[in-house]
Amino acid sequence: MSKSRVPGRPRSEKSREAILDAAFALLVERGWAGFALEAVAATAGAGKTTIYRWWKTKADLAVDAFFHATEEELRFPDTGTARGDFEAQIIELAALLTGARGRALAEMLGAARTDPSLGKALAERWLAPRRRWGYERMARAAASGELAPGVAPGPALALLYSPVYTPLLFGGETPGPEQIKAILDLACSAIFQGQAPQGSPDPTG
Amino acid sequence: MSKSRVPGRPRSEKSREAILDAAFALLVERGWAGFALEAVAATAGAGKTTIYRWWKTKADLAVDAFFHATEEELRFPDTGTARGDFEAQIIELAALLTGARGRALAEMLGAARTDPSLGKALAERWLAPRRRWGYERMARAAASGELAPGVAPGPALALLYSPVYTPLLFGGETPGPEQIKAILDLACSAIFQGQAPQGSPDPTG
Amino acid sequence: MSKSRVPGRPRSEKSREAILDAAFALLVERGWAGFALEAVAATAGAGKTTIYRWWKTKADLAVDAFFHATEEELRFPDTGTARGDFEAQIIELAALLTGARGRALAEMLGAARTDPSLGKALAERWLAPRRRWGYERMARAAASGELAPGVAPGPALALLYSPVYTPLLFGGETPGPEQIKAILDLACSAIFQGQAPQGSPDPTG
Amino acid sequence: MSKSRVPGRPRSEKSREAILDAAFALLVERGWAGFALEAVAATAGAGKTTIYRWWKTKADLAVDAFFHATEEELRFPDTGTARGDFEAQIIELAALLTGARGRALAEMLGAARTDPSLGKALAERWLAPRRRWGYERMARAAASGELAPGVAPGPALALLYSPVYTPLLFGGETPGPEQIKAILDLACSAIFQGQAPQGSPDPTG
DNA sequence: GACTAAACGAGACGGTACGTCATGTCTTGGG
DNA sequence: CCCAAGACATGACGTACCGTCTCGTTTAGTC
């Protein structure tokens, strides 16, 4: 069996990397608004044709470049309790959204309302996996009796994640870690059984 | 006590109205992305110069046009209790954000991350008054003992409003009224003293 | 009475000249094949929009630029006899077609077969007036009995002018003045009555 | 008597033919302007590499394809008299230049001014043999006393052939057979001794 | 009733980026 | 060593708005 089935010159991995790197750099430096394909092509030493060959839209490239550089940082934690897992993940998320990378993602999330292709790309690469994990973790929490009585997973997830995202819509003041912690504590007090996560994780009472 | 101090032709009120109307119509019809000043000028029968004379930026015009047509609908309610007031206001807000006008506002909020002038305009006209009212109402709630012990106003407001805004960042599915109600109930259960205002608030399943 | 009827900012004569000059320079320097509108716009310090506003096609601009710089040189002579007029005009024409300008015109004439807009522009600006003059002069020659018996104007004009144009189709060797003179003499001997125009310029051997 | 001297895979005759056929078809159908190597390769089922391996330039291929399909039609006639030979050849030439093939050749001749490789290829394949034959035939005519006194071969050939080529430079109206005949008669009356070959050549009006 | 001066409509201006196209070169695996 | 397939960098294309500019024309209040 041969290494490859298709005839013709194979895709240049070097070019792919150069494009993704240039795209990510430009995205972080100039934001989505200044994300010009012409500039990406120029600094990557690539032709625009090559970009359009592999990425259907500007949005696809931006999202791909963003996650090519970022994705591995976002792991779904496993602390033993649902509350611990959610808190850990949300704090990590808040950290990501703060800083240069966060600006880029925020701008893309914002522009997604206007650009459907961007919306679709982000939904696939960003939202869907996180939503999937959230619902699944919430189901496990329900099964193990960690949720307060009457708490449905949808509203619970909305309450947990929204406060991290909302600042992306408004001015610059992304909430700092203590603020995030305070909001999370308040949300968790409504969602989970018992007290704070560490120490006695499941103090029945 | 003359009619006017300044010499020269006075500003044309007719032109101002025509521009604001055309701008609002275009904004609602085409969204922020399709909001072209050239089109506004053309349908208003105005010159671009006139627009730039009175509005510093495209964003200023869009925001001004939006609130010129919308603002009066948004009143701050007075139901007697803090929980009632917040619930009423948030439900009204959610209703506004659903529909054509909502799309326009959502797109503007999203684009604000990219366009500083838009951000500034929206912060002044939209965010600031609501934030002011929210903090003030929260302070009165604290004074009257309506808040659960240990609840700070910042996190409480974040928890209440964020779930309404966050969907603007993601795909089309704005939460319906029941969903909003469910989320609100959950949030309020952490923030306010006592039970839900009407009937049996927490129908255990 | 006002100077102008139309409202709006008037066309910039400076810009028009700059564009025509840049276009002509580029055309002469690089030929039709290298005649890029982007380069014209850049060296003229003009926007591409401005060019497209005033010239429907690349061909229109090229032809306009060419004749803006060249036209005045081509006057229709008046020597007293038809043979003298045609000879003078054709020699002048041959001189024009030799040299840098000639190359540009030759390339345009050649490319006209491929590019209809170029063909149309050249037909209007180049061919039509010359054809008109040729037929009209030929008619006067017939009326004054200068033509040999049985000579129709169409074939006569074809015989006179074709030898100057045909070299444009083939390689570089444009015929020199003496060659042109020899061909002209041969053609004239078939077309016109009697001997050579002035004195005895052509000592028959 | 081995099958082949050179090592490696021998050139595919099948591929050569397919490429020439596809090239000619495309040339006739779309003209020189629409003659895209990519399309040739695609419809020939060949790789672009193969084309560039065997034909140095696009022009070489086009010219080769054109004459591969056309050349044999153009024979040099032998009617007994120089005038008869030239007339026959020029009329055949005019016929060739009218019609689909003619369009292709005309476009190539036109584009040759712009594309040196095309010029060179056409000069070699088209112009040179015809020029050679013309001068040689003219020399024989001179030797046999068929030329009018004082007629040099260069100007004579220019007068005979130019009127057929010149229309290629201008609009669509290629001259019809009678027009060609009339021009030829006029030219021949200056070049050749005695009267026209058939009938009454000079119908005085 | 003439003068002054700013606002007005219209639209031309220099730019920037868009997404598409064909060119001629290159890089594979297979024959 | 040839072949097909097709990816690659390049560079121009014609389009769409941007925010600025320059006109000649209103439309008032002041002299």
Side-chain angles (χ1 to χ4, degrees):
Chain A
M1 290 303 131
S2 65
K3 293 180 197 166
S4 155
R5 290 279 55 185
V6 294
R9 176 175 178 173
R11 176 170 188 184
S12 158
E13 193 57 29
K14 204 167 121 191
S15 174
R16 195 185 84 99
E17 296 276 357
I19 290 168
L20 286 173
D21 289 355
F24 181 69
L26 190 63
L27 195 57
V28 167
E29 190 195 343
R30 290 249 201 285
W32 168 256
F35 183 68
L37 276 198
E38 303 221 317
V40 173
T43 74
K48 279 200 284 178
T49 321
T50 302
I51 296 180
Y52 281 108
R53 200 186 337 270
W54 299 111
W55 293 274
K56 232 174 292 207
T57 63
K58 207 165 88 137
D60 282 341
L61 173 58
V63 172
D64 197 12
F66 187 83
F67 290 112
H68 177 72
T70 297
E71 201 153 38
E72 50 269 21
E73 301 184 13
L74 270 188
R75 297 270 160 262
F76 298 122
D78 182 4
T79 64
T81 68
R83 179 166 182 171
D85 284 4
F86 280 112
E87 285 191 350
Q89 216 241 322
I90 285 162
I91 284 168
E92 201 178 2
L93 171 62
L96 168 71
L97 293 179
T98 315
R101 276 216 267 279
R103 189 181 76 120
L105 180 57
E107 288 188 13
M108 285 195 285
L109 284 166
R113 291 297 326 194
T114 276
D115 181 339
S117 65
L118 186 50
K120 221 183 129 217
L122 279 173
E124 279 171 22
R125 293 288 292 262
W126 175 265
L127 193 57
R130 274 149 197 82
R131 178 126 67 188
R132 202 162 24 242
W133 180 85
Y135 271 98
E136 192 255 335
R137 189 69 193 82
M138 210 45 104
R140 275 177 28 227
S144 64
E146 290 176 89
L147 297 187
V151 169
L157 289 168
L159 222 57
L160 285 167
Y161 286 94
S162 294
V164 190
Y165 284 117
T166 301
L168 300 184
L169 281 171
F170 303 109
E173 343 77 76
T174 341
E178 328 80 52
Q179 265 183 289
I180 286 289
K181 200 71 183 55
I183 297 170
L184 265 180
D185 280 346
L186 193 57
C188 288
S189 75
I191 293 167
F192 297 105
Q193 288 279 16
Q195 305 308 105
Q198 287 104 347
S200 49
D202 212 339
T204 329
Chain B
M1 272 239 154
S2 68
K3 292 177 194 167
S4 156
R5 283 288 47 183
V6 291
R9 177 175 178 174
R11 175 169 188 185
S12 157
E13 192 58 27
K14 204 168 120 192
S15 175
R16 194 185 84 99
E17 296 276 355
I19 289 169
L20 285 172
D21 289 355
F24 181 69
L26 190 63
L27 195 57
V28 166
E29 191 196 343
R30 289 249 198 284
W32 168 257
F35 183 69
L37 271 200
E38 306 222 317
V40 172
T43 75
K48 282 202 283 178
T49 322
T50 305
I51 297 181
Y52 280 106
R53 199 185 337 268
W54 300 112
W55 292 273
K56 233 173 293 205
T57 65
K58 201 167 93 137
D60 282 341
L61 172 59
V63 171
D64 197 13
F66 187 82
F67 290 111
H68 178 72
T70 298
E71 203 152 36
E72 51 269 22
E73 299 184 16
L74 271 187
R75 297 269 161 262
F76 299 120
D78 183 3
T79 64
T81 68
R83 179 168 184 168
D85 283 5
F86 280 113
E87 282 189 351
Q89 216 242 322
I90 285 163
I91 283 167
E92 200 179 3
L93 170 62
L96 169 71
L97 292 178
T98 317
R101 274 215 271 276
R103 188 180 76 120
L105 179 57
E107 290 187 12
M108 284 195 287
L109 283 166
R113 289 302 316 197
T114 275
D115 182 337
S117 64
L118 186 51
K120 219 180 132 219
L122 278 173
E124 279 170 22
R125 294 286 292 259
W126 176 264
L127 193 57
R130 275 149 197 82
R131 178 128 62 191
R132 203 161 27 240
W133 179 85
Y135 272 97
E136 191 255 335
R137 188 68 193 83
M138 209 46 102
R140 276 175 30 224
S144 64
E146 289 176 89
L147 296 187
V151 168
L157 288 169
L159 222 56
L160 284 169
Y161 286 94
S162 293
V164 190
Y165 284 117
T166 301
L168 300 184
L169 282 171
F170 304 110
E173 343 79 71
T174 343
E178 329 80 51
Q179 269 184 285
I180 287 290
K181 199 70 183 56
I183 297 170
L184 266 180
D185 279 346
L186 193 56
C188 288
S189 76
I191 293 167
F192 295 106
Q193 286 282 13
Q195 305 308 101
Q198 294 106 348
S200 52
D202 210 341
T204 325
Chain C
M1 286 303 137
S2 67
K3 291 183 197 166
S4 156
R5 291 277 52 187
V6 293
R9 178 175 177 174
R11 177 170 185 184
S12 158
E13 193 57 29
K14 203 167 122 191
S15 175
R16 194 185 83 100
E17 296 276 357
I19 289 168
L20 285 173
D21 289 355
F24 180 69
L26 190 62
L27 195 57
V28 167
E29 191 196 342
R30 290 248 203 284
W32 167 257
F35 183 69
L37 276 197
E38 301 220 318
V40 173
T43 76
K48 279 200 283 179
T49 322
T50 303
I51 296 181
Y52 282 106
R53 203 188 331 271
W54 299 110
W55 293 273
K56 232 175 291 207
T57 64
K58 205 166 90 136
D60 282 342
L61 173 59
V63 172
D64 198 12
F66 187 82
F67 290 111
H68 177 72
T70 296
E71 202 153 36
E72 51 269 23
E73 301 184 14
L74 272 186
R75 295 271 161 261
F76 299 122
D78 182 4
T79 65
T81 68
R83 179 167 181 169
D85 284 6
F86 279 113
E87 284 191 351
Q89 216 240 320
I90 285 163
I91 283 167
E92 201 179 1
L93 171 62
L96 169 71
L97 292 178
T98 316
R101 277 216 268 277
R103 189 180 77 120
L105 180 56
E107 290 187 12
M108 284 195 285
L109 284 166
R113 290 293 331 191
T114 276
D115 181 337
S117 65
L118 186 49
K120 220 182 132 215
L122 279 173
E124 279 170 23
R125 293 287 293 259
W126 176 265
L127 194 55
R130 275 147 197 83
R131 180 128 64 188
R132 203 163 23 240
W133 179 85
Y135 271 98
E136 191 254 336
R137 189 69 193 81
M138 212 41 106
R140 273 172 36 220
S144 64
E146 291 175 88
L147 295 188
V151 169
L157 289 168
L159 222 57
L160 285 168
Y161 287 93
S162 294
V164 191
Y165 284 118
T166 302
L168 300 183
L169 281 171
F170 304 111
E173 341 80 75
T174 341
E178 327 83 49
Q179 266 184 288
I180 286 288
K181 199 72 182 53
I183 297 171
L184 265 181
D185 279 346
L186 194 56
C188 287
S189 76
I191 293 167
F192 296 105
Q193 289 277 16
Q195 305 308 103
Q198 289 107 349
S200 49
D202 208 346
T204 327
Chain D
M1 275 231 152
S2 67
K3 292 178 197 165
S4 156
R5 280 292 40 185
V6 292
R9 178 174 177 174
R11 176 168 185 185
S12 157
E13 192 56 28
K14 204 167 119 190
S15 174
R16 194 184 84 100
E17 296 276 356
I19 289 168
L20 286 173
D21 290 355
F24 180 69
L26 190 63
L27 196 56
V28 167
E29 192 195 342
R30 288 247 200 284
W32 168 258
F35 182 69
L37 273 199
E38 211 121 344
V40 173
T43 77
K48 279 201 286 178
T49 324
T50 305
I51 296 179
Y52 279 107
R53 198 183 337 266
W54 300 110
W55 291 273
K56 234 175 293 210
T57 65
K58 199 168 94 137
D60 283 341
L61 173 59
V63 172
D64 197 13
F66 186 82
F67 290 111
H68 178 71
T70 296
E71 203 153 35
E72 50 268 22
E73 299 183 17
L74 269 187
R75 296 272 161 260
F76 299 121
D78 182 3
T79 65
T81 67
R83 180 167 182 169
D85 283 6
F86 280 113
E87 285 191 351
Q89 217 242 319
I90 285 164
I91 284 167
E92 201 179 2
L93 172 61
L96 170 70
L97 292 179
T98 318
R101 275 215 270 275
R103 187 180 77 120
L105 181 56
E107 290 187 12
M108 284 195 287
L109 284 166
R113 290 301 319 196
T114 275
D115 182 337
S117 65
L118 186 51
K120 219 180 132 219
L122 279 173
E124 278 170 24
R125 295 285 294 257
W126 175 264
L127 194 56
R130 273 150 199 82
R131 180 129 60 188
R132 204 162 24 241
W133 180 84
Y135 271 98
E136 192 254 334
R137 189 68 193 83
M138 211 43 104
R140 273 170 38 220
S144 63
E146 289 175 271
L147 296 188
V151 168
L157 288 168
L159 222 56
L160 285 168
Y161 286 93
S162 294
V164 191
Y165 285 117
T166 301
L168 300 183
L169 281 171
F170 304 111
E173 342 80 75
T174 343
E178 329 80 51
Q179 270 183 283
I180 288 289
K181 199 71 183 54
I183 298 171
L184 267 180
D185 279 346
L186 193 56
C188 287
S189 75
I191 293 167
F192 296 106
Q193 287 280 14
Q195 306 307 103
Q198 295 106 346
S200 53
D202 212 342
T204 326

